Amino acid sequence: MTNEVTVPLLPCASIDDIATFYEALGFHSTHRQRRPNPYVALRREDLHLHFFELDGFDPEQSYGSCLVLAPDIEELHRAFAAGMRAAYGKVLMAGIPRMTRPRARKNYDGLGGFSVIDPGGNWIRVVQDPAATESPEPSPTGRLAKALANAVVQGDSRGDTHQAVRILDSALAHPQPDDDPVTQVQVLVYRAELAMVLHDRETAAEMLARVDRVVLTVDETERAASTFEAAADLAAALR
């Protein structure tokens, strides 16, 4: 038998908060009830997410998670980011809810991914569909690139923000003359994002200021374009 469909059923503290958040991301409700139990079914094209409400549920303690295989993670991230800007005036990068940036995952064969952490504390892990990908990102080379790859595994995949910070702080504390400037910008911006997750606005601002001091050629500036977009979102979140 083929064409079966699996739909995640995830916990939350409030189906109203969940519905409001996901509607900002372009979802619509296909079913909603309060009795006999609070439940909402949400859909965005072929993406289905269902939620049930639990009394006293703490999103900070949630283990809810699911994978979404997407043919184009960059396009989906842009759509979610646009919805957040329209609804909240910024891309949410700290606290619950929030969204991470698309990054290559060395623990996913170099393919990219990002996560939406919703008001229920559920991690919706959007990853590049291997079937829709010609080839993954090459393995990182250079000490900064390797440090960034390791930090992404800890921070974005495992949710261990503190360990990701330790990895990046160690790399930034020992600059080398042959460090790639583009990778340096990527490391600084990711470190700023992690600082925002930890509600450390001072460090986030410091990292973004350091980004402005990195000297780049025209070609390097083009290579870092998406990272500078992330820096702009972080700067907006700091205001």
Side-chain angles (χ1 to χ4, degrees):
M1 188 180 298
T2 60
N3 300 318
E4 295 91 343
V5 176
T6 299
V7 178
L9 180 55
L10 300 167
C12 66
S14 166
I15 61 169
D16 296 330
D17 291 346
I18 283 286
T20 297
F21 174 74
Y22 279 102
E23 285 165 4
L25 302 189
F27 287 75
H28 67 277
S29 174
T30 61
H31 176 76
R32 191 166 181 162
Q33 67 180 44
R34 295 302 310 181
R35 298 178 184 277
N37 58 296
Y39 188 98
V40 64
L42 299 164
R43 178 177 183 178
R44 185 187 189 278
E45 298 177 340
D46 291 331
L47 179 51
H48 299 258
L49 297 172
H50 291 198
F51 298 88
F52 61 95
E53 185 176 306
L54 287 174
D55 288 339
F57 182 77
D58 181 4
E60 292 281 357
Q61 303 301 318
S62 176
Y63 284 89
S65 183
C66 73
L67 283 177
V68 176
L69 297 179
D72 189 339
I73 63 168
E74 297 285 350
E75 179 183 0
L76 190 58
H77 185 273
R78 282 193 295 269
F80 286 173
M84 285 186 178
R85 292 188 189 100
Y88 305 104
K90 60 185 178 182
V91 177
L92 303 177
M93 294 187 170
I96 296 177
R98 66 180 185 275
M99 181 170 67
T100 68
R101 298 284 305 185
R103 295 185 180 89
R105 308 285 179 86
K106 79 169 192 176
N107 57 332
Y108 189 52
D109 295 330
L111 295 172
F114 71 92
S115 295
V116 173
I117 298 88
D118 69 24
N122 303 294
W123 283 62
I124 313 302
R125 302 173 187 272
V126 182
V127 294
Q128 185 69 39
D129 185 351
T133 306
E134 293 183 2
S135 60
E137 291 288 328
S139 299
T141 58
R143 64 172 206 97
L144 279 181
K146 291 178 180 178
L148 178 60
N150 290 333
V152 169
V153 170
Q154 297 299 323
D156 286 6
S157 294
R158 296 188 63 234
D160 190 341
T161 305
H162 291 284
Q163 180 60 21
V165 163
R166 284 191 286 270
I167 292 169
L168 295 187
D169 283 350
S170 177
L172 289 170
H174 303 92
Q176 301 295 321
D178 60 347
D179 286 339
D180 175 40
V182 174
T183 307
Q184 184 181 358
V185 168
Q186 293 169 341
V187 168
L188 289 168
V189 171
Y190 187 37
R191 180 64 180 87
E193 182 179 324
L194 295 172
M196 291 292 289
V197 174
L198 296 174
H199 306 288
D200 183 357
R201 297 171 64 88
E202 182 178 349
T203 297
E206 176 192 342
M207 294 298 146
L208 294 180
R210 289 178 62 176
V211 168
D212 292 336
R213 297 195 293 270
V214 178
V215 178
L216 300 173
T217 65
V218 173
D219 177 66
E220 289 168 341
T221 300
E222 291 178 357
R223 285 171 51 204
S226 62
T227 307
F228 283 121
E229 290 177 7
D233 284 334
L234 284 163
L238 282 171
R239 290 198 287 267

